[in-house]
Amino acid sequence: RGGKRPHSSKILWLLGHLRKALSIEISGCWCVRSTGGLVENLCGLTLLLIGTGHRRDSREHMVQESHQDRELGTCPRESPSLHSRFTILTITREPRTTTSPTITTALFEPDRDGQTPQVVVLVGAPGMGKTTMVRRVMVEWGEGTLHTQFDFVFCIDCKAMVLPMEASVADLVSQCCPGLRVPAGKILDDQKKILFIFDGFEALGFSLVQPEAELSSDPREVKPLELTMMSLLKKTVLPESSLLITMRPAALGSLRQCLKGECYVEILGFSAARRKEYFHRYFENPNKADMAFRFARSNEILYSLCVIPVMSWTTCTVLEQELCGKKNLIDCSKTTTGMILFYLSQILKHRDKDNPQVLQKFLLQLCSLAAEGIWKHKVVFEEKEIKDCGLDQPSLLPFFLNESIPREGEDHDSVYAFTHLHLQEFFAAMFYVLEDDEEMASSLGKLDKNVNKLLESYNKSRKDLNVTVRFLFGLVSQKSIEYMDKTIGCRISPRAREELLEWLQGRHRGLSQPGKVLKVSEMDTFHFLFEMNEKSFAQSALGHFTDLDLRDTKLTLYDQMALSFCIQHWAGLGCVTFQGCSFQRQDPEADALVVRRREELPCPIHLLCRALRHRDSALQVLRLQWCQLSESCCAELAALLAEHPGLARLELADSSLGDSGVRLLCEGLRAPGCSLRILRLRYSRITSACCEDLAAVLSTNTCLEELDLSFSEGLRDAGVELLCEGLQHCASPLQTLRLGSCRLSGTCCQALAVQLLQGPRLTCLDLSDNELGAQGVLQLCQQLRHPACPLQMLGLSTDGFSPALLQELDALRALQPVLKIGNLLEHDVPQAGAMARLPCHRGLLPGGRKALPSVRRTSLL
């Protein structure tokens, strides 16, 4: 203070407080983003010092420069600190033995032999997090929590530095902190305490072949800049100092020749756990973080791409915009294609703006390579292929392909691979829709840009082309066409739209049986339409079909969003069938948290029911069989019944409904707007406890004509008697009552026999697979003989009937020739996957064969 130097006895005390103060200010002022160096406006050359006053001087310089950093595309808000955003990356060392998540201290930890490396080369594709990791190293060191073996850290951002043509190592230090009062030469005396960081080394563009004799050994000697840098690399100057170098794989080959005893560390990206952590660090609101992460994880393609840190940032940035002013992402219109296009626009933002033809040609050649690889199941490309395609452009290639450099002693050239398989599939799809002129087309090789060939191959056998086809739909949407033209400067041809439309319509006509209704039974159709996300296109694609039929499918949140979008724009949809499907809500951890908080779990079919209630819906039949429906699903279905007067048939076959679920359903059945005519509640595990509610429905509902409670073993005689009370009312139009395999006895036959005459509309009564006894059967026969009895079908299992009882039934048939008597029990057998989720019901054997009742008398007369 006041220009006075602190007394030497107080230096250690001051250092402790200074370190603590600086840790707060550094972490609070750095506007760092996990964009992997794609947003780089931090100072070009930064020096951090631990000392009495010098570190404060350099810190002030760094604070001024760091205010230049900005994040792209986010809602306006206060920039978070590096601490709040940094997420541990997965790295691997060379030689590669295992991969493990690690924090930045692992960069300079001893190897298996106990040797601590002096030179660490951090390798990663653009967007993998090299720059972010470097900044984390600096912050941790500045706080004194890590890397305490260094007293001085010099970080040189090679992408942004502006340096003279000639300089010494001491000049670099002095130029960084012009207010430094201690000579830089004195700082460099203790070499072991110095760490130099070169971030983005390949951006310097220096030749790494320099004469050994011209290298410097004196840190004060002025040399051409490339010689000074090479002297540091080759350890002719400050040989005991440490180096941390970050670079892309493409530049690694020549650097290997310059270094000795170096350790190579490759960034592989985010593990599954770290992806979730990153989302929670990005969003300040934990609820928004949960919503965004669930949205990403439900989309298998997007979630896989989020292994790339910059793709995680892209996803969070886009979803943050979506959540501005919204409560959830249920209606989010951002597709995976849109996310990748935004990512693409960021990495190409400042490249070849003045010459779009260069970028257009490069992208065409890149897409041609990607498509050829997809057709040939090829993900690794040789250096010759890269050159033959004209892709050997250092300013563009590293953003799309990783280069694998042969290790010392390996006899082969470099090989290349796209940074992610899904990105290769994206560019393969782009190959078919990017416009080109004759000159460009002639340079693309022999691959035919035939969209129909791609689609037919996918339809017949190449299911591995699914993601490519999905991106194809996304790329020809009007939004994508406009975005590519305005933001990236490339033109997408809209010609493929008609081909895609004709293909979608034709493939489902071919899958539907001749003479049957036209139905859509492939989930990928909904994925394709959702990826395009255009109302008019979806209407045209689905307009010729009347049925949706999905079986044995696990429906993620993404699947449900795709279905919801399509159903809302499917005007002619009359019948919806889900058999053996499961509607996933969210991840198990979130479900467990809701249970612990004693909150109600969200209804798994909420999106489906909301879509089915749209005002133009023509829905008449809804089947949800063996779909693990919960009680809350019945509340959603009740609302659908009350609000959808066109719904005439509802079939539910699920053992998890129970009495409470059926009671909720009855509320919808009693609503004035309900016009349901057929209700099937098979395998629903209901008991007599809910029959009073069903009886109330029968007594008041003027539309219900068929009620099927088959395989409800808890129903018993008491439940049937309650139902018969509801049938006594003249308002009941019920014509068919199915009570097969409900463990009924002859006790209920008296009440049923009365209804055969009192209910003049009842034409079908199914009592198959029930132990009614001879007395019960005879009571029914007595009423059936009456000429006023309207019954035309009686379901009975006659196995085990005595000859006398069978003779009685024959006599009844002769008296009432219209009456059909026999086993009417229908077994709606689910597919194998759904069958495994069913409880074991008496009377139903594997394969759908009917079994004899478990207890049977030898004779019924």
Side-chain angles (χ1 to χ4, degrees):
R1 293 180 178 176
K4 297 180 180 179
R5 292 180 176 271
H7 192 274
S8 59
S9 63
K10 296 182 179 180
I11 287 179
L12 292 178
W13 179 83
L14 287 171
L15 278 175
H17 285 268
L18 180 61
R19 183 187 298 275
K20 185 176 180 180
L22 285 177
S23 70
I24 297 172
E25 293 189 42
I26 290 175
S27 65
C29 75
W30 276 25
C31 302
V32 177
R33 301 291 184 269
S34 296
T35 58
L38 299 181
V39 186
E40 296 152 346
N41 292 311
L42 206 63
C43 52
L45 177 62
T46 301
L47 166 67
L48 300 179
L49 298 174
I50 290 181
T52 54
H54 319 308
R55 186 176 177 190
R56 183 180 300 275
D57 296 338
S58 62
R59 174 174 56 85
E60 291 173 355
H61 173 73
M62 182 186 66
V63 169
Q64 293 173 0
E65 294 290 338
S66 67
H67 283 305
Q68 299 176 22
D69 185 60
R70 297 290 184 268
E71 186 165 19
L72 301 176
T74 58
C75 298
R77 62 184 176 91
E78 187 176 344
S79 296
S81 67
L82 180 63
H83 278 295
S84 66
R85 283 284 174 87
F86 183 79
T87 304
I88 296 172
L89 294 162
T90 301
I91 67 172
T92 182
R93 293 180 176 274
E94 187 184 286
R96 296 186 182 181
T97 51
T98 58
T99 61
S100 60
T102 179
I103 54 177
T104 50
T105 47
L107 298 179
F108 285 94
E109 67 178 6
D111 58 21
R112 292 178 178 178
D113 300 327
Q115 299 294 319
T116 301
Q118 269 191 293
V119 180
V120 174
V121 182
L122 189 62
V123 184
M128 276 295 181
K130 301 183 297 295
T131 297
T132 301
M133 186 172 276
V134 162
R135 293 174 179 179
R136 179 69 175 184
V137 168
M138 295 167 68
V139 168
E140 289 172 339
W141 173 82
E143 293 176 339
T145 55
L146 297 170
H147 313 294
T148 53
Q149 68 267 41
F150 303 117
D151 281 350
F152 308 97
V153 175
F154 302 82
C155 181
I156 301 174
D157 185 345
C158 302
K159 299 175 290 296
M161 66 184 300
V162 179
L163 292 172
M165 299 295 293
E166 294 185 342
S168 66
V169 175
D171 291 336
L172 297 180
V173 174
S174 300
Q175 185 172 339
C176 170
C177 295
L180 199 62
R181 285 173 289 182
V182 175
K186 187 175 182 179
I187 296 173
L188 300 177
D189 286 343
D190 195 353
Q191 300 179 24
K192 292 183 179 180
K193 298 291 186 178
I194 299 172
L195 170 63
F196 288 97
I197 302 176
F198 297 95
D199 185 25
F201 184 80
E202 72 282 347
L204 292 175
F206 293 154
S207 170
L208 297 181
V209 179
Q210 301 289 342
E212 295 281 342
E214 295 185 17
L215 298 182
S216 175
S217 59
D218 182 357
R220 300 166 183 82
E221 183 181 7
V222 177
K223 289 269 188 180
L225 190 59
E226 54 266 38
L227 286 176
T228 299
M229 292 291 190
M230 285 300 298
S231 300
L232 283 170
L233 292 180
K234 284 187 168 287
K235 295 289 185 178
T236 61
V237 65
L238 304 179
E240 295 183 333
S241 64
S242 295
L243 298 177
L244 172 59
I245 302 168
T246 78
M247 63 191 317
R248 298 167 185 164
L252 196 56
S254 54
L255 183 66
R256 285 181 187 269
Q257 304 170 13
C258 303
L259 304 176
K260 291 183 180 180
E262 71 276 16
C263 170
Y264 293 94
V265 177
E266 183 178 359
I267 300 180
L268 302 180
F270 286 146
S271 66
R274 299 307 174 188
R275 271 170 266 182
K276 183 174 183 179
E277 178 186 337
Y278 179 82
F279 273 71
H280 279 267
R281 286 181 178 274
Y282 183 96
F283 289 92
E284 297 174 355
N285 185 316
N287 291 330
K288 288 187 175 183
D290 282 334
M291 282 189 284
F293 182 72
R294 287 200 303 270
F295 177 90
R297 195 167 79 167
S298 68
N299 183 337
E300 185 179 347
I301 299 173
L302 182 62
Y303 183 64
S304 178
L305 282 167
C306 284
V307 70
I308 306 172
V310 72
M311 199 64 206
S312 283
W313 171 81
T314 297
T315 303
C316 288
T317 301
V318 173
L319 294 182
E320 185 180 36
Q321 293 174 332
E322 281 288 303
L323 283 169
C324 284
K326 293 183 181 179
K327 294 182 179 180
N328 55 57
L329 292 168
I330 289 177
D331 296 314
C332 179
S333 61
K334 300 300 181 184
T335 64
T336 311
T337 302
M339 300 276 192
I340 296 179
L341 286 177
F342 179 72
Y343 159 77
L344 192 59
S345 71
Q346 299 309 305
I347 63 177
L348 296 175
K349 196 163 189 177
H350 304 294
R351 292 166 178 88
D352 290 308
K353 277 287 186 181
D354 299 329
N355 194 351
Q357 288 79 16
V358 172
L359 179 59
Q360 178 96 353
K361 184 175 181 180
F362 178 85
L363 284 177
L364 278 168
Q365 292 163 331
L366 180 74
C367 295
S368 176
L369 181 75
E372 185 176 353
I374 292 298
W375 277 110
K376 296 180 179 179
H377 301 281
K378 187 175 183 178
V379 295
V380 177
F381 305 92
E382 297 178 1
E383 190 168 8
K384 182 178 183 302
E385 295 176 276
I386 299 299
K387 291 180 178 178
D388 289 346
C389 290
L391 292 173
D392 50 337
Q393 299 185 35
S395 63
L396 290 171
L397 183 64
F399 289 96
F400 305 100
L401 275 79
N402 287 339
E403 181 181 2
S404 178
I405 309 296
R407 297 182 178 90
E408 189 173 350
E410 294 180 343
D411 186 21
H412 64 80
D413 293 331
S414 298
V415 293
Y416 296 80
F418 283 85
T419 52
H420 196 286
L421 173 60
H422 289 330
L423 290 179
Q424 181 178 348
E425 293 167 320
F426 175 84
F427 289 115
M430 190 181 286
F431 168 76
Y432 289 92
V433 296
L434 268 185
E435 285 190 352
D436 53 52
D437 52 32
E438 292 184 4
E439 180 183 351
M440 289 184 180
S442 63
S443 66
L444 295 180
K446 300 178 181 179
L447 194 60
D448 186 12
K449 297 181 72 169
N450 188 330
V451 173
N452 284 318
K453 180 182 176 182
L454 173 71
L455 297 173
E456 289 308 313
S457 295
Y458 169 70
N459 230 16
K460 291 177 180 178
S461 59
R462 291 291 303 272
K463 296 305 179 184
D464 58 297
L465 296 174
N466 173 275
V467 178
T468 302
V469 174
R470 191 185 302 191
F471 283 138
L472 196 61
F473 277 85
L475 283 166
V476 297
S477 73
Q478 200 58 43
K479 284 184 179 178
S480 296
I481 292 173
E482 293 174 0
Y483 191 88
M484 281 286 287
D485 185 34
K486 294 179 181 178
T487 310
I488 302 176
C490 294
R491 298 182 305 278
I492 289 180
S493 171
R495 292 191 301 270
R497 290 171 61 94
E498 288 301 318
E499 294 173 293
L500 293 176
L501 180 59
E502 291 174 7
W503 173 73
L504 269 187
Q505 294 173 341
R507 78 185 295 233
H508 288 289
R509 287 198 188 99
L511 292 172
S512 300
Q513 296 179 359
K516 301 289 186 179
V517 294
L518 292 175
K519 63 183 180 181
V520 179
S521 55
E522 300 286 342
M523 189 63 214
D524 58 2
T525 293
F526 305 110
H527 289 154
F528 298 152
L529 294 174
F530 188 53
E531 195 64 35
M532 180 176 278
N533 217 263
E534 283 189 16
K535 176 181 177 180
S536 59
F537 191 93
Q539 288 172 333
S540 299
L542 298 170
H544 298 283
F545 303 96
T546 59
D547 286 32
L548 187 165
D549 191 340
L550 291 178
R551 297 171 186 263
D552 235 27
T553 305
K554 290 183 178 180
L555 298 167
T556 66
L557 177 61
Y558 177 80
D559 296 332
Q560 295 170 53
M561 291 176 67
L563 278 169
S564 178
F565 168 79
C566 293
I567 289 172
Q568 290 180 67
H569 305 308
W570 192 348
L573 180 61
C575 178
V576 173
T577 300
F578 292 95
Q579 188 181 87
C581 298
S582 60
F583 294 81
Q584 299 178 9
R585 289 181 293 258
Q586 50 193 9
D587 57 275
E589 292 180 14
D591 278 357
L593 181 61
V594 169
V595 171
R596 287 199 300 271
R597 293 174 177 172
R598 296 184 178 181
E599 299 173 0
E600 186 177 344
L601 286 171
C603 172
I605 61 170
H606 169 72
L607 284 177
L608 172 66
C609 290
R610 191 187 70 160
L612 292 172
R613 289 200 296 268
H614 74 92
R615 65 180 182 181
D616 297 325
S617 174
L619 184 69
Q620 295 181 343
V621 180
L622 175 60
R623 297 187 182 95
L624 293 165
Q625 300 168 327
W626 304 288
C627 293
Q628 304 177 17
L629 302 182
S630 63
E631 181 180 323
S632 62
C633 295
C634 290
E636 285 284 349
L637 291 170
L640 180 63
L641 289 170
E643 299 174 24
H644 201 307
L647 184 58
R649 184 181 187 123
L650 176 62
E651 297 185 18
L652 305 177
D654 207 309
S655 60
S656 60
L657 292 181
D659 294 329
S660 56
V662 174
R663 287 194 185 99
L664 289 170
L665 206 59
C666 288
E667 294 180 11
L669 290 166
R670 290 195 295 267
C674 178
S675 301
L676 196 74
R677 292 189 292 109
I678 299 173
L679 176 62
R680 291 194 165 193
L681 300 175
R682 300 159 68 84
Y683 305 98
S684 298
R685 279 191 179 176
I686 62 174
T687 70
S688 58
C690 70
C691 286
E692 190 173 343
D693 295 88
L694 285 170
V697 170
L698 294 174
S699 65
T700 57
N701 189 296
T702 60
C703 299
L704 193 64
E705 298 173 356
E706 179 180 336
L707 177 62
D708 187 349
L709 303 177
S710 302
F711 303 101
S712 300
E713 296 188 345
L715 194 64
R716 307 295 176 93
D717 298 324
V720 174
E721 290 170 356
L722 286 171
L723 292 175
C724 288
E725 291 180 10
L727 288 171
Q728 291 176 3
H729 296 267
C730 60
S732 175
L734 197 72
Q735 297 176 19
T736 300
L737 178 62
R738 299 184 184 275
L739 302 170
S741 196
C742 289
R743 292 208 177 214
L744 305 182
S745 71
T747 305
C748 68
C749 289
Q750 179 62 40
L752 286 169
V754 172
Q755 293 309 311
L756 293 177
L757 292 178
Q758 288 189 355
R761 297 182 182 85
L762 197 62
T763 59
C764 178
L765 175 63
D766 185 12
L767 301 173
S768 304
D769 197 21
N770 286 296
E771 300 173 17
L772 302 178
Q775 187 63 33
V777 174
L778 289 174
Q779 283 179 328
L780 293 172
C781 290
Q782 184 179 357
Q783 291 295 82
L784 289 169
R785 289 176 175 272
H786 197 286
C789 180
L791 201 71
Q792 298 176 16
M793 300 181 73
L794 175 64
L796 290 175
S797 297
T798 58
D799 298 332
F801 277 22
S802 69
L805 187 54
L806 291 173
Q807 188 175 359
E808 178 69 24
L809 292 177
D810 288 339
L812 180 60
R813 291 188 183 98
L815 182 65
Q816 299 278 16
V818 178
L819 181 64
K820 307 295 183 184
I821 301 175
N823 194 326
L824 303 179
L825 197 60
E826 299 174 2
H827 293 281
D828 298 332
V829 182
Q831 295 177 3
M835 192 70 188
R837 296 192 287 272
L838 273 177
C840 183
H841 284 282
R842 183 180 62 85
L844 186 63
L845 293 177
R849 294 181 291 110
K850 188 179 76 65
L852 290 175
S854 56
V855 179
R856 199 55 103 172
R857 298 183 181 90
T858 57
S859 175
L860 291 180
L861 271 184

